[in-house]
Amino acid sequence: MSREPIILIVDDEPDLVKLVSTYVKKEGYQSLEAGNGTEALRLLKQHHVELVILDIMMEGIDGFEVCKAIRQQYAVPVIMLTARSHEEDKVRALKLGADDYMEKPFSPRELMARVEATLRRSNQMNDQPNRLVFHDLQIDRGARMVFVGTHEVPLTRREFDLLVYLAEHKNRSFTREQLFTQIWSDLSTSSLRTVDTHIKTLRLKLGENGKKVQTVWGIGYKFGEVE
């Protein structure tokens, strides 16, 4: 019998932690709870956690700092929560490598749907052959690293997942909606511009290889060799 995946819930609101934990267990996952960032990082060292549900506004080490620390040490997916609706919070969370973002109050059922979608994407990445090679551009899916020649290109988790998805489907065109559905789980059309932002940053980081991430006018984007 396979081990139940462990989900770490990090929030300084005990009632919310209890509510989310109830839904997590109801869906067949194990639940770990932390009331602050320090405790969360300690639990991550002690347990093999598959996903973190992380509040931003906490005393001491806030969620941004915890997310940054997680990204420096672990490949575990992170869904961030906040009571604030500021766009800059969402942008900052995504740039730090968060996989998804939800505003409070939220539907626990929607949160669990996002948990399942995020875990599914993570598992699909792990099941694929490890390396994609396009001349001097190499994508190591197992290590989650990208190289141009011998130079490593540092990418955020979202940028990496976006590049891998496009590269896996070389020469196939995708709309922004399709890419957003695959890489993010929220279908809000007001957030589709995040696809354009990530594409722009990805191209800049890849240098000349960024030309492989092509705009398909009237449709969206594709990955292909430049003619």
Side-chain angles (χ1 to χ4, degrees), residues 80-82 100-104 106-107 110-111 114:
M80 299 197 77
L81 308 175
T82 183
D100 207 345
Y101 183 104
M102 289 193 71
E103 295 178 12
K104 299 178 181 178
F106 56 84
S107 160
E110 181 184 354
L111 173 61
R114 295 195 188 198

Side-chain angles (χ1 to χ4, degrees), residues 22-23 27 55 61 65 72 80 106 120 142 164 179 198:
T22 297
Y23 275 83
E27 295 299 323
D55 184 39
I61 305 175
E65 290 301 314
Q72 291 173 344
M80 299 197 77
F106 56 84
R120 184 167 58 250
V164 168
L179 292 173
H198 280 72

Side-chain angles (χ1 to χ4, degrees), residues 52-127:
V52 179
I53 298 173
L54 175 63
D55 184 39
I56 290 179
M57 304 301 294
M58 296 185 294
E59 294 291 335
I61 305 175
D62 66 17
F64 291 127
E65 290 301 314
V66 175
C67 184
K68 182 178 179 180
I70 289 174
R71 280 292 157 264
Q72 291 173 344
Q73 302 177 62
Y74 310 100
V76 59
V78 177
I79 297 177
M80 299 197 77
L81 308 175
T82 183
R84 306 199 311 178
S85 60
H86 297 170
E87 183 179 6
E88 56 266 29
D89 284 353
K90 183 173 183 178
V91 171
R92 184 180 177 188
L94 295 174
K95 285 184 176 180
L96 286 171
D99 295 84
D100 207 345
Y101 183 104
M102 289 193 71
E103 295 178 12
K104 299 178 181 178
F106 56 84
S107 160
R109 291 180 61 189
E110 181 184 354
L111 173 61
M112 293 314 303
R114 295 195 188 198
V115 165
E116 292 175 6
T118 301
L119 287 173
R120 184 167 58 250
R121 286 194 300 269
S122 179
N123 292 334
Q124 287 172 348
M125 288 292 300
N126 293 333
D127 289 341

Side-chain angles (χ1 to χ4, degrees), residues 125 128-135 137-141 145-146 155 158-174 179 183 199 202 206 209 212-214 221-225:
M125 288 292 300
Q128 294 292 331
N130 280 345
R131 191 175 290 268
L132 294 168
V133 180
F134 305 93
H135 299 292
L137 174 64
Q138 299 186 44
I139 306 169
D140 189 330
R141 284 176 286 202
M145 299 172 72
V146 174
L155 300 180
R158 293 289 194 180
E159 290 165 355
F160 181 88
D161 290 349
L162 182 58
L163 176 61
V164 168
Y165 186 76
L166 288 169
E168 286 175 343
H169 302 87
K170 181 181 176 182
N171 294 323
R172 178 179 170 185
S173 299
F174 294 93
L179 292 173
I183 308 303
I199 289 288
L202 188 56
L206 293 176
N209 280 281
K212 293 182 171 69
V213 183
Q214 302 173 21
Y221 300 101
K222 72 173 184 179
F223 183 94
E225 300 292 345

